[in-house]
Amino acid sequence: MRRAHRPQAVAIAEGYIPSWSNGLEPEFLSHETASILHVSDAGAHVTITVYFSDREPAGPYRLTVPARRTVHQRFNEFEDPEPIPLSTDYASLIESDVPMVVQHTRLDSRQAENALLSTHGLRGRRLSFGRRGFVPAGSGTYRS
Amino acid sequence: MRRAHRPQAVAIAEGYIPSWSNGLEPEFLSHETASILHVSDAGAHVTITVYFSDREPAGPYRLTVPARRTVHQRFNEFEDPEPIPLSTDYASLIESDVPMVVQHTRLDSRQAENALLSTHGLRGRRLSFGRRGFVPAGSGTYRS
Amino acid sequence: MRRAHRPQAVAIAEGYIPSWSNGLEPEFLSHETASILHVSDAGAHVTITVYFSDREPAGPYRLTVPARRTVHQRFNEFEDPEPIPLSTDYASLIESDVPMVVQHTRLDSRQAENALLSTHGLRGRRLSFGRRGFVPAGSGTYRS
Amino acid sequence: MRRAHRPQAVAIAEGYIPSWSNGLEPEFLSHETASILHVSDAGAHVTITVYFSDREPAGPYRLTVPARRTVHQRFNEFEDPEPIPLSTDYASLIESDVPMVVQHTRLDSRQAENALLSTHGLRGRRLSFGRRGFVPAGSGTYRS
């Protein structure tokens, strides 16, 4: 009856880094952030893949979240293997070898006053075969 | 023990396209967007039905999300079978033949400064019979 | 193997109606809204209970969502059995006899420019006995 | 077939208390709030642990939610065992001895006009052993 946890994936369908900003940097630089919380006693190895509307995905971007720490990763600080283009629609899939919590936030400071949005990423399973790449948790399934 | 995934439905109860805007277009045109992520190796066929408070539903609106792509679909760009009216409360049901992730975002630029909201759509199952049209994932059920 | 669906409950922990507004009414009147979507072929009977920090709950507030319709109900338009006080922290529990989708949105127009927030309500089950009044869907359970 | 409910945990990965504000206090003081709803007939004992990017966690912060009440707890009002530092990325884990609903909201009034964000916390289970500190509800599991 012991349980071992599968590698986990979290999807964020909405992504857009505004291409300009107003106000002091870095506080008011327009940005998108993936806030990752990892409360266990061992580090988490995290991989991020970025999807676009008109080209193949970018990444993987890799980062480590130490034990009992949170990392608030800004998408506009990615450089390896390539920066995320500005003013471009994207989406992201965040995978970890252990359970984690991922919340997505955007600060849009293109105008004089900021706008904010935030929501938790959608958890699911990343499948390595066939045509079903990501299955949201709780999706209806048939057994055959 | 193989599993095949059912067609999937995602509901967004909140919908409202502001009827005016401030600022440059198309960036700052007031709009609502359904961001759809589809990470598998085959395209997804997506159907959107729009519900109102005082008339029968509009649609279906159809779009395709290619393999490993995201589509950020603005509701104010729908034209066939009819445009979504402005300044009108609506809700939407988004259906796909394969698993997908849907996030809903509104940019409201009616005033000088933008406001943003965003949340993931609520996943569930679309039933084709009886009086139970959409059942959110994880809803309590009796077996009889 | 037929399934019948239990009455459903959705909780929104965050509630606050700002006590003043800027701009044209009713568009820019500060308000909180519960957007309810009901896609089936029969109407839904909905009951809303409002909780406070320092007094017993208010309600029930009753409304009907017709078949294939959405209702975007503003909390500041409730009058029976009593209006929701302004500038007061509250939370709400929304119950229905059939499955529904509930999304919560606030428009805060206390300052010159609007701010928006939105999220889906948390689904669960309302229990009529004992000390466990509302159990979020997917909560860990023991069987005894 | 009776069910008893496990102690519950809710995670919020995004946390940041802006270090300055504009406007009247306390309404427009920049703040983060955890809104907790507890609808049962007995009080809930709640414990909050706060995680950072570069130091060990702070807390536990303790509060009680009475029967049929909501508490909207501002993170910037915590004092015991220590205040939450301003302008610092953090995340939080909120635990209760009975089921509850937790929603997270930020009011950012650093500029002349407010920005708001809000989302429900991610529910899961807090494990007291091994390297798996928090497991989101619905995570895929192996049985071995």
Side-chain angles (χ1 to χ4, degrees):
Chain A
M1 285 285 280
R2 253 198 82 153
R3 290 167 161 229
H5 291 278
R6 284 198 183 109
Q8 192 187 10
V10 173
I12 300 169
E14 216 282 328
Y16 184 87
I17 306 174
S19 61
W20 77 92
S21 300
N22 274 292
L24 296 174
E25 295 190 9
E27 287 90 342
F28 292 136
L29 181 68
S30 288
H31 62 268
E32 293 228 318
T33 301
S35 299
I36 303 174
L37 171 61
H38 175 59
V39 308
S40 82
D41 291 335
H45 300 94
V46 176
T47 302
I48 300 177
T49 306
V50 176
Y51 293 82
F52 301 96
S53 62
D54 56 2
R55 50 159 280 195
E56 287 294 304
Y61 301 92
R62 299 181 192 281
L63 59 105
T64 301
V65 184
R68 299 179 303 281
R69 295 291 184 275
T70 185
V71 167
H72 292 205
Q73 176 67 47
R74 292 187 178 199
F75 281 91
N76 51 324
E77 293 179 352
F78 281 134
E79 296 195 349
D80 178 25
E82 62 183 298
I84 310 284
L86 304 182
S87 297
T88 301
D89 291 334
Y90 68 89
S92 53
L93 190 68
I94 302 172
E95 297 172 82
S96 167
D97 54 348
V98 294
M100 60 178 172
V101 177
V102 179
Q103 189 169 345
H104 164 239
T105 303
R106 186 199 298 164
L107 171 72
D108 183 343
S109 66
R110 288 177 293 183
Q111 298 180 308
E113 310 300 331
N114 292 339
L116 284 171
L117 66 79
S118 186
T119 194
H120 274 95
L122 191 71
R123 288 173 317 97
R125 284 172 296 130
R126 183 76 154 104
L127 302 182
S128 54
F129 59 91
R131 58 195 290 267
R132 295 164 293 167
F134 176 79
V135 180
S139 291
T141 52
Y142 295 113
R143 287 167 184 277
S144 60
Chain B
M1 287 282 281
R2 254 197 83 151
R3 290 165 162 231
H5 291 279
R6 284 200 182 106
Q8 192 187 10
V10 173
I12 300 169
E14 216 283 328
Y16 184 88
I17 306 174
S19 60
W20 77 91
S21 299
N22 275 293
L24 296 174
E25 295 191 8
E27 287 89 341
F28 293 136
L29 181 68
S30 289
H31 62 267
E32 293 226 319
T33 301
S35 299
I36 304 173
L37 171 61
H38 175 60
V39 308
S40 82
D41 290 336
H45 300 94
V46 176
T47 303
I48 301 178
T49 307
V50 176
Y51 293 83
F52 300 97
S53 63
D54 56 2
R55 50 158 280 193
E56 287 294 303
Y61 301 92
R62 300 182 192 282
L63 59 105
T64 301
V65 184
R68 299 178 304 280
R69 295 290 184 275
T70 185
V71 168
H72 292 205
Q73 176 68 46
R74 292 188 178 198
F75 282 91
N76 51 324
E77 294 180 351
F78 282 134
E79 297 194 349
D80 178 24
E82 62 182 299
I84 310 284
L86 304 182
S87 297
T88 302
D89 291 334
Y90 68 89
S92 53
L93 190 68
I94 302 171
E95 298 171 82
S96 167
D97 55 348
V98 294
M100 61 178 170
V101 177
V102 180
Q103 189 170 344
H104 164 238
T105 303
R106 185 199 298 164
L107 172 72
D108 183 344
S109 66
R110 290 178 292 184
Q111 298 181 309
E113 309 300 330
N114 292 339
L116 284 171
L117 65 80
S118 186
T119 193
H120 275 96
L122 191 70
R123 288 173 314 98
R125 285 172 296 129
R126 184 78 153 101
L127 302 182
S128 55
F129 59 92
R131 57 194 292 266
R132 294 164 293 166
F134 176 79
V135 180
S139 290
T141 53
Y142 294 114
R143 287 167 185 275
S144 61
Chain C
M1 286 284 280
R2 254 197 83 150
R3 289 165 163 230
H5 290 279
R6 284 199 183 106
Q8 191 186 10
V10 172
I12 300 169
E14 217 282 328
Y16 184 88
I17 306 173
S19 60
W20 77 91
S21 300
N22 275 292
L24 296 174
E25 295 190 9
E27 287 90 342
F28 292 136
L29 181 68
S30 289
H31 61 268
E32 292 226 319
T33 300
S35 299
I36 304 174
L37 170 61
H38 175 60
V39 309
S40 82
D41 291 335
H45 299 95
V46 176
T47 303
I48 300 178
T49 307
V50 176
Y51 293 82
F52 300 97
S53 63
D54 56 1
R55 51 159 279 195
E56 286 294 305
Y61 301 92
R62 299 182 193 282
L63 60 105
T64 301
V65 184
R68 298 179 304 280
R69 294 292 183 274
T70 184
V71 168
H72 292 205
Q73 176 67 47
R74 291 189 179 198
F75 282 90
N76 51 325
E77 293 180 351
F78 282 135
E79 295 194 350
D80 178 24
E82 62 183 297
I84 310 284
L86 304 183
S87 297
T88 301
D89 290 334
Y90 68 90
S92 53
L93 190 68
I94 302 171
E95 297 170 83
S96 167
D97 54 348
V98 294
M100 61 179 170
V101 177
V102 180
Q103 189 169 344
H104 164 238
T105 303
R106 186 199 296 164
L107 171 73
D108 183 343
S109 66
R110 289 177 293 184
Q111 298 181 308
E113 309 300 331
N114 293 338
L116 284 171
L117 67 79
S118 186
T119 193
H120 275 95
L122 191 71
R123 288 174 317 96
R125 284 172 297 130
R126 183 77 153 101
L127 302 182
S128 55
F129 59 91
R131 56 193 293 266
R132 295 163 294 166
F134 177 79
V135 180
S139 291
T141 52
Y142 294 114
R143 289 166 183 276
S144 60
Chain D
M1 287 284 280
R2 254 198 82 152
R3 291 167 162 229
H5 290 278
R6 284 198 182 108
Q8 192 187 9
V10 173
I12 301 169
E14 215 283 329
Y16 184 87
I17 306 173
S19 60
W20 76 91
S21 300
N22 275 292
L24 295 173
E25 296 191 8
E27 287 90 342
F28 292 136
L29 181 67
S30 287
H31 61 267
E32 294 227 317
T33 301
S35 298
I36 304 174
L37 171 61
H38 174 60
V39 308
S40 82
D41 291 335
H45 300 95
V46 176
T47 302
I48 300 177
T49 306
V50 177
Y51 293 84
F52 300 97
S53 63
D54 55 2
R55 49 159 282 194
E56 287 294 304
Y61 300 92
R62 299 181 193 281
L63 59 104
T64 301
V65 184
R68 299 179 302 280
R69 294 290 183 275
T70 185
V71 168
H72 292 205
Q73 175 68 46
R74 291 188 178 198
F75 281 91
N76 51 325
E77 293 179 352
F78 282 135
E79 295 194 350
D80 179 25
E82 63 182 297
I84 310 284
L86 304 182
S87 297
T88 301
D89 290 335
Y90 69 88
S92 52
L93 190 68
I94 302 171
E95 296 171 83
S96 167
D97 54 348
V98 294
M100 60 178 171
V101 177
V102 180
Q103 190 169 344
H104 165 239
T105 303
R106 186 198 296 165
L107 171 72
D108 183 343
S109 66
R110 288 177 293 184
Q111 298 181 307
E113 310 300 330
N114 293 338
L116 284 170
L117 66 81
S118 185
T119 193
H120 275 95
L122 191 71
R123 288 173 318 96
R125 285 173 296 128
R126 183 76 153 102
L127 302 182
S128 55
F129 59 91
R131 57 194 291 268
R132 294 164 293 168
F134 176 80
V135 180
S139 291
T141 52
Y142 294 114
R143 288 166 185 276
S144 62

